[in-house]
Amino acid sequence: MNFLRGVMGGQSAGPQHTEAETIQKLCDRVASSTLLDDRRNAVRALKSLSKKYRLEVGIQAMEHLIHVLQTDRSDSEIIAYALDTLYNIISNDEEEEVEENSTRQSEDLGSQFTEIFIKQPENVTLLLSLLEEFDFHVRWPGVRLLTSLLKQLGPPVQQIILVSPMGVSKLMDLLADSREIIRNDGVLLLQALTRSNGAIQKIVAFENAFERLLDIITEEGNSDGGIVVEDCLILLQNLLKNNNSNQNFFKEGSYIQRMKAWFEVGDENPGWSAQKVTNLHLMLQLVRVLVSPTNPPGATSSCQKAMFQCGLLQQLCTILMATGIPADILTETINTVSEVIRGCQVNQDYFASVNAPSNPPRPAIVVLLMSMVNERQPFVLRCAVLYCFQCFLYKNEKGQGEIVATLLPSTIDATGNSVSAGQLLCGGLFSTDSLSNWCAAVALAHALQGNATQKEQLLRVQLATSIGNPPVSLLQQCTNILSQGSKIQTRVGLLMLLCTWLSNCPIAVTHFLHNSANVPFLTGQIAENLGEEEQLVQGLCALLLGISIYFNDNSLENYTKEKLKQLIEKRIGKENYIEKLGFISKHELYSRASQKPQPNFPSPEYMIFDHEFTKLVKELEGVITKAIYKSSEEDKKEEEVKKTLEQHDNIVTHYKNMIREQDLQLEELKQQVSTLKCQNEQLQTAVTQQASQIQQHKDQYNLLKVQLGKDNHHQGSHSDGAQVNGIQPEEISRLREEIEELRSHQVLLQSQLAEKDTVIENLRSSQVSGMSEQALATCSPRDAEQVAELKQAKSVPVEGESELVTAAKTTDVEGRLSALLQETKELKNEIKALSEERTAIQKQLDSSNSTIAILQTEKDKLYLEVTDSKKEQDDLLVLLADQDQKILSLKSKLKDLGHPVEEEDESGDQEDDDDELDDGDRDQDI
């Protein structure tokens, strides 16, 4: 303690060099004292001096402080003092330094001390190990020190942490700390750690960072939370921005669904704090990160669909139409909705169905367009609405058609009770505000972008300019305003609209050239020598004239391609024309507009170019230049080549379609062959079973016939009245029962045959003909013989019987005979049907076998080709082996002759030989 009193006394009384001596004495005490209390007191004194005498303490004490961190880890108090001292040395957070020069010197000092500290990477690794300590007095200063190091020299510190074992995982544990100050400072540490380092961003994301950060945001109250929510949102942006892997992980982890709760704000909010505005602004920016146009299209599309499915887009549209929303939040919400719907048909359709809560309800698109063409609205809001409208029409032919349809005569509301999107655009196009002119022209151009149908439809639009005068077309009115010499911004907007309208639309070009005043106006504008402000208009006029040449179908005799080129050569000169055309892409605002789709301008005078129009200029500038220099013969040749190419493309497309159809047919035939095989096997089994049953019926029939013959043969010796025609009554009953069973079995067989016929009908191509004459000839003699035998038995008289008994016997025998003949006929029909069925199935089987044989032949050919290829490979391997052997022998000869041989080859060969020997030894051991 006496030592400390001397030190402090020296601080207050002595001159500047006395402080340096005091610091030196303290450093000596830290380095040489054996008692822990003395070292601790010395470090605490250095801490108290480190803020005021930062340079002196940093130079003399840093090495000793690092040594304390290495050797005195068991004492948390001295470790805490050492960490705080190092933080004061390295950090630039000194309130006293308010002057610019002193602040710059402080920053330089901090980066220099940081460079000294991380010169030994073990120091950073040591700091990471200290963060594993749960003691608050160790962990919290460690977090602050590491954060300061990352702020001073981020990339090298990030690299050290990245290669450190489990380095990032140790820092992720800070988010799970129950002490809020450590958790919150841990978020700041991870902010600095993940800045501009994709590898660390991926590791942090896969360490469950999204889950933890979203939990913290929820715990803090979402958008109503404090500064901690802001820090978490900034960290989330670091992890997701320009990192496709993390964006995909965020979407696949269903974290987009959890974002919906952020935007549950409504009209009941009486006031918005500055922190809430900041939080919601960051939340909207985070949504835009996931659906940014600069992301891969597939990733953006999947995120857009997820946002619609979970209701996030609906929530954003609710904010869009709510009242009491701050202007900057409303503007950012419009930009966010724009990118959520851009190029996504489902989202665009939903947005088209959104209505504003007005009476009567109006579509959200109409309400937004009202703001765009209203010059009293803020500039940034009007830019946001234009971007939203552009995104709604991007790759949306349905939406483009709906917008253009609101301008057509058949769809205009005659009562005037409601205003449409098309009417708002026309009103903005011809208003006195040049910014409204430009925005309306660009919006209308996006309704025509890449849509030839709507370009032709827009030619039908007629405008009533004044009472008593006939209506004029929209195209004519645009050219009329253009020729009246309005503001540059208005003329640029109209020229961009006309260029977009006429490109790839020969009919629109014809309508434009049909007005005899248009071409002289364009040539006059291009030929004049005007100031720099007018050069852009000259370039756009040159582009419009070039489009009128390139997409000209030569339907107007006075304005064919050749005559327009001759006019340029006479009035302007080809070189001068090309120079004027180049004014567009050389303009300083052209490159700025070409970078991003969003119209983001600092002030209205910078709104000159549209992003999609810059693409059109880039596409057409070269082809128009070539078209101007081409002769008429070259044009004809080019048209012939185009026709030939189109014919060739048509032929190629035709054959592609034919091959595609043949592939489909081949697949269907293969499936049919497989199905027919299975059906054939089933039907063969059924035929075998039916043949067996028929044979059983034949045997039963023959048995009955034999029994009847025997009974008739013995009729003369039996006169018992209990017998009927030589057959016992019990035998008659049994025969009747058997006949009934046969009949019922026959009905069952007929139902089965009906089912088989249904299957066979699907396989056969034509109906089966009736029984052939040959079959009748074959069956008739045998049946005739059986019938004759039964008739003979019937005609044999029996002595001693009355005529009545004889008549009864005759009737009974005739009945039996009739029944047997009927059954015989049915059996013959059944045999005939089964025979025809078998024949048809055999034909199908032969066809299937033929197809299988063809496929087997192709397979054998392919197998032979594969065998030949393998054989050629083996031959090449043998040749290579021979070459290697020759090279080795030549090397040995060269070595014997004293010529130098490369050692690397020998060592490599030797190593290969050693590896082979080792493998051989291992094989022997095994």
Side-chain angles (χ1 to χ4, degrees):
M1 296 299 294
N2 293 330
F3 172 76
L4 284 175
R5 289 194 193 97
V7 168
M8 301 308 294
Q11 284 183 10
S12 59
Q16 187 74 27
H17 68 276
T18 306
E19 305 302 337
E21 293 174 357
T22 303
I23 293 170
Q24 182 61 48
K25 289 177 182 179
L26 290 172
C27 291
D28 293 341
R29 178 59 62 90
V30 172
S32 60
S33 293
T34 55
L35 293 177
L36 180 60
D37 287 342
D38 289 345
R39 294 200 302 276
R40 187 190 303 121
N41 292 332
V43 174
R44 182 169 56 189
L46 286 171
K47 174 190 170 184
S48 64
L49 294 170
S50 58
K51 284 189 176 180
K52 187 174 182 180
Y53 303 105
R54 181 180 174 191
L55 178 61
E56 292 80 3
V57 175
I59 292 173
Q60 299 186 48
M62 181 178 285
E63 185 178 350
H64 301 293
L65 294 171
I66 294 172
H67 187 262
V68 167
L69 297 179
Q70 294 170 343
T71 57
D72 291 327
R73 290 191 60 171
S74 59
D75 184 72
S76 59
E77 191 175 355
I78 192 173
I79 295 294
Y81 291 149
L83 291 171
D84 284 337
T85 307
L86 287 170
Y87 174 77
N88 292 336
I89 295 170
I90 291 173
S91 175
N92 294 326
D93 301 334
E94 293 189 23
E95 297 180 359
E96 298 86 1
E97 296 177 344
V98 293
E99 295 183 5
E100 184 178 353
N101 293 333
S102 61
T103 302
R104 189 179 298 109
Q105 291 175 1
S106 175
E107 291 175 356
D108 294 341
L109 201 60
S111 61
Q112 289 171 6
F113 282 131
T114 302
E115 190 173 354
I116 294 170
F117 185 84
I118 67 171
K119 192 172 184 180
Q120 298 296 329
E122 297 82 6
N123 295 339
V124 179
T125 307
L126 173 63
L127 191 55
L128 289 172
S129 66
L130 288 172
L131 291 179
E132 295 182 89
E133 299 288 341
F134 187 73
D135 191 323
F136 177 82
H137 297 94
V138 175
R139 203 172 204 188
W140 185 55
V143 171
R144 296 172 67 217
L145 175 58
L146 188 55
T147 305
S148 183
L149 291 173
L150 285 164
K151 287 181 179 178
Q152 295 291 348
L153 292 176
V157 179
Q158 286 173 334
Q159 193 60 33
I160 295 171
I161 295 173
L162 186 60
V163 299
S164 176
M166 300 296 291
V168 178
S169 299
K170 294 173 185 177
L171 300 180
M172 284 300 300
D173 292 339
L174 298 172
L175 295 182
D177 200 301
S178 58
R179 295 158 295 194
E180 286 191 1
I181 188 170
I182 293 180
R183 184 200 68 182
N184 298 343
D185 282 352
V187 173
L188 296 175
L189 170 59
L190 290 172
Q191 277 185 24
L193 179 67
T194 56
R195 191 172 289 116
S196 304
N197 192 307
I200 293 179
Q201 289 168 4
K202 292 178 183 178
I203 296 172
V204 171
F206 282 96
E207 288 281 350
N208 208 23
F210 294 140
E211 185 78 28
R212 296 184 185 182
L213 291 171
L214 292 173
D215 288 342
I216 294 172
I217 291 172
T218 303
E219 292 169 9
E220 295 290 327
N222 292 326
S223 60
D224 292 321
I227 189 70
V228 178
V229 172
E230 179 182 347
D231 293 336
C232 290
L233 292 170
I234 293 172
L235 177 53
L236 283 171
Q237 282 197 14
N238 286 355
L239 295 175
L240 292 172
K241 196 169 186 178
N242 300 323
N243 193 317
N244 299 329
S245 174
N246 282 2
Q247 289 175 11
N248 185 61
F249 181 66
F250 191 85
K251 178 184 68 70
E252 296 294 336
S254 300
Y255 296 119
I256 289 178
Q257 287 80 338
R258 296 186 60 178
M259 299 170 73
K260 180 186 175 185
W262 296 353
F263 305 103
E264 292 177 354
V265 295
D267 298 340
E268 68 276 4
N269 292 281
W272 291 65
S273 65
Q275 186 61 58
K276 181 172 183 177
V277 171
T278 301
N279 291 345
L280 205 55
H281 197 81
L282 289 170
M283 289 171 176
L284 291 168
Q285 286 182 347
L286 197 60
V287 174
R288 294 185 65 183
V289 165
L290 295 171
V291 292
S292 172
T294 58
N295 293 344
T300 298
S301 176
S302 59
C303 288
Q304 288 172 330
K305 291 176 182 176
M307 289 175 184
F308 174 75
Q309 291 167 357
C310 74
L312 177 57
L313 174 59
Q314 294 85 328
Q315 198 68 47
L316 291 172
C317 289
T318 302
I319 297 176
L320 199 66
M321 294 291 106
T323 57
I325 306 295
D328 53 346
I329 293 299
L330 180 60
T331 302
E332 189 62 21
T333 303
I334 295 172
N335 288 326
T336 305
V337 170
S338 304
E339 294 183 351
V340 173
I341 68 173
R342 187 176 190 268
C344 181
Q345 188 66 55
V346 176
N347 294 7
Q348 289 167 335
D349 291 343
Y350 170 77
F351 183 70
S353 67
V354 175
N355 287 323
S358 58
N359 190 19
R362 286 179 173 175
I365 296 174
V366 172
V367 175
L368 290 174
L369 287 177
M370 287 178 176
S371 300
M372 187 185 76
V373 298
N374 186 351
E375 57 185 304
R376 291 192 296 270
Q377 292 293 337
F379 172 66
V380 290
L381 179 64
R382 298 174 74 181
C383 289
V385 173
L386 175 61
Y387 185 44
C388 187
F389 191 73
Q390 291 173 345
C391 291
F392 169 67
L393 297 178
Y394 183 70
K395 295 184 178 179
N396 183 8
E397 293 186 1
K398 178 182 175 184
Q400 289 175 323
E402 292 172 353
I403 296 297
V404 173
T406 59
L407 286 166
L408 299 179
S410 59
T411 58
I412 293 176
D413 186 4
T415 62
N417 293 330
S418 61
V419 63
S420 67
Q423 290 171 334
L424 286 171
L425 291 177
C426 278
L429 198 62
F430 308 127
S431 73
T432 56
D433 178 32
S434 61
L435 183 59
S436 296
N437 301 153
W438 191 91
C439 291
V442 169
L444 199 55
H446 278 260
L448 307 176
Q449 195 77 40
N451 196 328
T453 303
Q454 302 311 321
K455 291 177 182 179
E456 295 178 9
Q457 288 291 322
L458 201 64
L459 294 171
R460 297 169 48 202
V461 176
Q462 299 289 321
L463 302 174
T465 56
S466 59
I467 299 174
N469 293 328
V472 297
S473 68
L474 176 63
L475 182 66
Q476 181 61 44
Q477 184 65 13
C478 290
T479 56
N480 290 342
I481 296 174
L482 194 63
S483 61
Q484 290 173 4
S486 51
K487 293 182 180 179
I488 289 181
Q489 193 173 38
T490 301
R491 285 184 286 163
V492 168
L494 289 171
L495 285 167
M496 287 195 295
L497 171 61
L498 290 172
C499 289
T500 305
W501 194 348
L502 269 60
S503 63
N504 290 293
C505 187
I507 297 175
V509 172
T510 302
H511 277 72
F512 178 77
L513 295 176
H514 194 269
N515 185 350
S516 58
N518 288 338
V519 172
F521 168 74
L522 292 178
T523 54
Q525 287 287 316
I526 301 168
E528 290 183 10
N529 292 321
L530 303 173
E532 291 185 3
E533 293 183 356
E534 295 289 334
Q535 286 183 350
L536 178 58
V537 175
Q538 286 184 306
L540 291 170
C541 289
L543 179 64
L544 183 58
L545 184 58
I547 290 172
S548 301
I549 295 172
Y550 187 73
F551 296 105
N552 194 333
D553 58 1
N554 294 324
S555 58
L556 294 177
E557 185 178 354
N558 294 333
Y559 293 109
T560 62
K561 286 185 178 182
E562 188 61 30
K563 289 186 177 180
L564 286 174
K565 287 194 285 187
Q566 290 174 0
L567 185 64
I568 287 175
E569 191 169 3
K570 292 179 181 177
R571 293 279 312 271
I572 305 168
K574 290 182 179 180
E575 289 76 10
N576 190 25
Y577 171 83
I578 299 302
E579 182 184 357
K580 298 292 177 67
L581 182 64
F583 285 164
I584 303 174
S585 57
K586 292 177 183 177
H587 198 277
E588 58 181 356
L589 297 178
Y590 176 86
S591 59
R592 180 171 182 170
S594 64
Q595 292 173 0
K596 292 182 180 180
Q598 181 181 359
N600 188 11
F601 304 104
S603 58
E605 58 268 16
Y606 287 91
M607 292 187 74
I608 297 297
F609 287 108
D610 171 57
H611 176 75
E612 292 296 327
F613 181 74
T614 61
K615 293 182 180 180
L616 182 68
V617 172
K618 189 175 181 180
E619 176 186 345
L620 293 179
E621 187 175 8
V623 295
I624 289 175
T625 302
K626 290 180 181 179
I628 294 299
Y629 282 106
K630 282 180 183 175
S631 62
S632 57
E633 295 180 357
E634 289 176 339
D635 284 336
K636 291 179 182 178
K637 289 181 180 178
E638 185 176 352
E639 289 178 1
E640 292 176 358
V641 170
K642 282 183 180 179
K643 291 180 181 178
T644 305
L645 289 174
E646 288 177 0
Q647 293 175 356
H648 179 267
D649 290 341
N650 292 334
I651 293 171
V652 171
T653 304
H654 172 70
Y655 279 111
K656 283 182 178 178
N657 294 333
M658 186 183 295
I659 291 170
R660 193 177 295 110
E661 291 174 359
Q662 289 177 349
D663 289 340
L664 293 174
Q665 291 176 358
L666 183 60
E667 289 297 325
E668 291 176 358
L669 289 173
K670 286 180 179 178
Q671 293 177 359
Q672 288 179 4
V673 167
S674 178
T675 305
L676 288 172
K677 281 183 180 179
C678 296
Q679 292 178 352
N680 184 33
E681 293 174 357
Q682 294 173 359
L683 291 173
Q684 288 286 5
T685 304
V687 168
T688 304
Q689 293 175 354
Q690 297 289 346
S692 176
Q693 291 175 357
I694 291 168
Q695 188 60 42
Q696 291 177 4
H697 290 307
K698 285 182 180 179
D699 294 341
Q700 291 174 358
Y701 174 73
N702 291 331
L703 179 62
L704 287 172
K705 186 176 69 174
V706 170
Q707 288 176 350
L708 285 173
K710 287 182 180 180
D711 291 340
N712 291 330
H713 181 68
H714 296 289
Q715 276 178 2
S717 58
H718 297 281
S719 58
D720 190 357
Q723 293 178 342
V724 179
N725 202 19
I727 301 175
Q728 296 293 337
E730 293 83 4
E731 184 71 11
I732 291 172
S733 299
R734 186 178 64 79
L735 289 172
R736 285 175 178 171
E737 291 175 356
E738 289 180 356
I739 289 170
E740 288 297 324
E741 290 177 358
L742 289 171
R743 284 175 179 171
S744 62
H745 190 64
Q746 191 64 32
V747 171
L748 179 63
L749 286 173
Q750 286 176 351
S751 64
Q752 292 178 351
L753 284 171
E755 294 176 357
K756 301 299 179 185
D757 288 338
T758 303
V759 176
I760 292 168
E761 281 299 323
N762 295 329
L763 300 173
R764 291 186 306 192
S765 59
S766 63
Q767 297 291 336
V768 180
S769 61
M771 181 182 291
S772 65
E773 293 297 327
Q774 184 179 1
L776 289 171
T778 304
C779 296
S780 296
R782 183 177 59 190
D783 294 337
E785 182 181 351
Q786 294 172 356
V787 172
E789 288 176 2
L790 288 173
K791 285 182 178 180
Q792 186 179 1
K794 180 184 77 169
S795 62
V796 175
V798 181
E799 295 178 2
E801 291 183 348
S802 64
E803 291 181 0
L804 182 61
V805 174
T806 303
K809 291 180 180 179
T810 303
T811 303
D812 183 67
V813 170
E814 285 177 353
R816 291 174 58 197
L817 178 62
S818 176
L820 289 171
L821 286 173
Q822 182 65 28
E823 291 178 4
T824 303
K825 183 178 179 181
E826 290 174 354
L827 289 171
K828 286 192 289 185
N829 289 337
E830 183 180 358
I831 292 167
K832 162 247 181 188
L834 290 171
S835 176
E836 291 173 347
E837 177 186 349
R838 185 173 182 178
T839 303
I841 292 171
Q842 187 63 39
K843 290 180 180 178
Q844 294 286 347
L845 182 61
D846 293 341
S847 176
S848 301
N849 290 335
S850 175
T851 305
I852 292 168
I854 293 170
L855 294 174
Q856 185 64 35
T857 303
E858 294 179 357
K859 180 180 177 182
D860 293 341
K861 289 180 180 179
L862 292 172
Y863 182 78
L864 289 173
E865 291 178 2
V866 171
T867 306
D868 294 340
S869 299
K870 286 184 177 179
K871 186 176 178 183
E872 291 177 1
Q873 239 178 2
D874 294 338
D875 294 340
L876 288 171
L877 289 172
V878 171
L879 289 171
L880 287 172
D882 292 341
Q883 291 293 334
D884 289 340
Q885 191 61 36
K886 289 179 181 179
I887 289 169
L888 288 173
S889 63
L890 289 171
K891 281 185 177 180
S892 61
K893 288 180 181 179
L894 287 170
K895 196 170 184 181
D896 294 339
L897 293 171
H899 288 278
V901 179
E902 294 182 2
E903 292 299 329
E904 291 181 0
D905 295 341
E906 290 184 353
S907 62
D909 296 339
Q910 187 63 36
E911 287 174 2
D912 294 340
D913 295 339
D914 292 343
D915 292 340
E916 291 175 0
L917 289 173
D918 292 342
D919 293 339
D921 294 340
R922 282 194 291 271
D923 294 338
Q924 289 176 2
D925 294 340
I926 292 170

